Amino acid sequence: KNEVEQSPQNLTAQEGEFITINCSYSVGISALHWLQQHPGGGIVSLFMLSSGKKKHGRLIATINIQEKHSSLHITASHPRDSAVYICAVGGGSQGNLIFGKGTKLSVKP
Amino acid sequence: KAGVTQTPRYLIKTRGQQVTLSCSPISGHRSVSWYQQTPGQGLQFLFEYFSETQRNKGNFPGRFSGRQFSNSRSEMNVSTLELGDSALYLCASSFLDSEETQYFGPGTRLLVL
């Protein structure tokens, strides 16, 4: 079993829909990261959080430390949100980031 | 402020050769981490450098090595290339360590024939 599990693996949505991507982890962490990777490879860090909730524009990230679960929400989705979203956790015994396999999101106009 | 830069962006090598990839972090960042991304395994941590010292290492064979210079620029080297080393190699920098927000470079896409 992977230490970081994401669901769904693939997601297709219509423009304007509310989107949720989930991440569950099995290791102790100090922080969880949400990353966005566009075709071509470039990765952008969206959020780093260790508790509660963070919001940036149409993106909201939440984390429940007790349940070892985080969600990334996108409100009013847009085709430019189409990308792979990757959850990563840090602070484990090795002191490095452990990544989920990613969720490929496609938003249709 | 300039972002993280990686060179070269694309590389084609043959089995048995060696390769050196370079990463220049954002000015002032002292931590540089390297990652390998493949379709099958996703993103995997290779190693992290801070102040010219390797601070953490992932589960990769000794053919994978790296170093960091006094200006925080970092290089990684892969010797005796194998077909399975074909991947996107990404570096990321942060002020102090990989648990902070990391800033990723565009990656070097390596193809081993």
Side-chain angles (χ1 to χ4, degrees):
Chain A
K1 191 181 189 300
N2 293 328
E3 292 168 298
V4 181
E5 297 274 3
Q6 283 187 239
S7 63
Q9 281 187 301
N10 293 283
L11 183 55
T12 300
Q14 287 298 127
E15 184 173 356
E17 286 185 357
F18 180 85
I19 288 161
T20 296
I21 299 171
N22 296 299
C23 175
S24 297
Y25 53 92
S26 58
V27 295
I29 69 167
S30 59
L32 183 143
H33 302 250
W34 282 103
L35 310 172
Q36 180 193 56
Q37 185 172 32
H38 279 285
I43 291 180
V44 174
S45 180
L46 297 174
F47 296 102
M48 184 183 71
L49 64 166
S50 55
S51 65
K53 177 178 168 177
K54 286 190 176 180
K55 184 175 188 291
H56 185 253
R58 296 179 294 104
L59 302 178
I60 302 166
T62 65
I63 188 169
N64 185 317
I65 297 294
Q66 287 72 31
E67 294 186 5
K68 296 190 174 180
H69 181 270
S70 175
S71 293
L72 176 68
H73 306 285
I74 305 175
T75 61
S77 59
H78 190 277
R80 65 174 175 266
D81 297 325
S82 298
V84 176
Y85 293 84
I86 302 168
C87 168
V89 299
S93 58
Q94 281 192 294
N96 52 268
L97 291 182
I98 305 170
F99 298 88
K101 296 292 187 191
T103 294
K104 185 174 181 180
L105 171 65
S106 177
V107 181
K108 306 291 185 190
Chain B
K1 203 181 244 191
V4 178
T5 58
Q6 290 187 246
T7 56
R9 293 292 311 278
Y10 303 92
L11 207 47
I12 300 175
K13 291 285 187 180
T14 56
R15 277 181 299 174
Q17 287 188 309
Q18 73 151 17
V19 66
T20 299
L21 312 181
S22 180
C23 172
S24 292
I26 290 173
S27 177
H29 285 191
R30 294 168 66 189
S31 169
V32 175
S33 298
W34 286 90
Y35 303 95
Q36 182 196 65
Q37 187 177 36
T38 59
Q41 298 298 318
L43 272 162
Q44 293 182 272
F45 170 75
L46 279 159
F47 23 67
E48 182 204 359
Y49 285 88
F50 180 84
S51 291
E52 302 177 66
T53 300
Q54 187 181 87
R55 193 153 60 175
N56 285 304
K57 189 177 192 304
N59 292 327
F60 279 82
R63 300 185 296 108
F64 291 80
S65 63
R67 58 178 175 168
Q68 187 180 33
F69 301 96
S70 58
N71 61 358
S72 292
R73 190 177 71 84
S74 177
E75 288 181 347
M76 69 161 280
N77 184 277
V78 188
S79 62
T80 319
L81 284 165
E82 300 177 0
L83 296 179
D85 297 333
S86 295
L88 179 66
Y89 290 88
L90 292 150
C91 82
S93 75
S94 56
F95 278 114
L96 293 177
D97 60 48
S98 61
E99 293 186 31
E100 301 174 315
T101 296
Q102 293 197 39
Y103 297 83
F104 286 81
T108 294
R109 195 166 291 278
L110 171 65
L111 176 62
V112 182
L113 301 175

